[in-house]
Amino acid sequence: MIDLERVKSLIEAGDVEGLAKLLSAAYPTGLVGERDALVTLLMKAGLNHAEAVRWAGRLEKEGYAHHLPGFSPRWVFTSKPVSFHELAELIKSEWGGFVGKNTEAPAEALEFFEKNLGLDREVAEEVYRGLEAAGYASVVYQEAPEINRERVLFEFPEVFLKQV
């Protein structure tokens, strides 16, 4: 459960990064719900609707909050800004041919995030946990001439691709 008083104090201080870190720690697999879930949470912390919408928009615009629609919709929070649009484009163009140094499928995905998005391990893990919880990432066994092992399969639903 998140400390709503802490949320309010961070907002009053104008601390976007601090708020993002608090949200990321409180919701490691994301805040479950549709687009209004983040606004609702901020209203529970004492903001009026207009302020809550403004702060939710600010978190999203600055790259700390990412709504993942689909079968298991949720808000994913990262402690540092991340472009999920850039991530989706990278995965679409490069992931199929990427084979990292790790033989563990999730570790290989983390390595990809770190290398291609310039993320540190902690933020890469935040991104992966969110994608996995939303059903966008899953581990599957891949059989190919040069690869016979588990890999992470990324599937971005059309509704996500239309919003990014």
Side-chain angles (χ1 to χ4, degrees):
M1 199 70 199
I2 192 163
D3 179 353
L4 295 174
E5 286 300 317
R6 182 79 179 125
V7 169
K8 188 171 183 176
S9 69
L10 289 166
I11 289 172
E12 288 171 351
D15 188 354
V16 177
E17 185 177 353
L19 179 58
K21 287 181 179 181
L22 178 67
L23 291 167
S24 178
Y27 301 102
T29 60
L31 173 65
V32 177
E34 295 294 341
R35 287 203 65 85
D36 61 344
L38 179 55
V39 171
T40 301
L41 173 70
L42 296 174
M43 289 175 66
K44 286 180 183 176
L47 276 67
N48 66 41
H49 186 264
E51 289 175 307
V53 168
R54 188 174 63 78
W55 270 91
R58 187 171 176 191
L59 284 165
E60 191 170 20
K61 183 179 178 188
E62 293 187 26
Y64 292 106
H66 317 275
H67 185 256
L68 303 181
F71 179 72
S72 183
R74 69 194 57 240
W75 281 93
V76 173
F77 305 106
T78 55
S79 55
K80 293 182 182 162
V82 177
S83 169
F84 272 46
H85 175 69
E86 184 181 347
L87 174 64
E89 290 297 320
L90 279 169
I91 288 170
K92 184 177 161 186
S93 65
E94 295 184 34
W95 179 252
F98 179 85
V99 179
K101 297 174 189 163
N102 283 295
T103 56
E104 296 281 325
E108 181 183 35
L110 295 176
E111 180 183 318
F112 179 81
F113 295 166
E114 289 175 86
K115 175 184 170 196
N116 290 286
L117 290 175
L119 303 177
D120 61 30
R121 179 62 82 158
E122 179 183 343
V123 177
E125 288 173 353
E126 292 168 354
V127 170
Y128 183 79
R129 276 194 307 266
L131 291 173
E132 185 177 47
Y136 288 28
S138 57
V139 176
V140 296
Y141 190 79
Q142 181 180 16
E143 290 186 47
E146 52 296 321
I147 304 169
N148 288 305
R149 63 183 183 91
E150 290 186 337
R151 295 285 308 275
V152 175
L153 173 66
F154 292 101
E155 296 180 283
F156 293 98
E158 280 300 313
V159 67
F160 172 79
L161 296 173
K162 286 179 182 176
Q163 90 175 14
V164 293

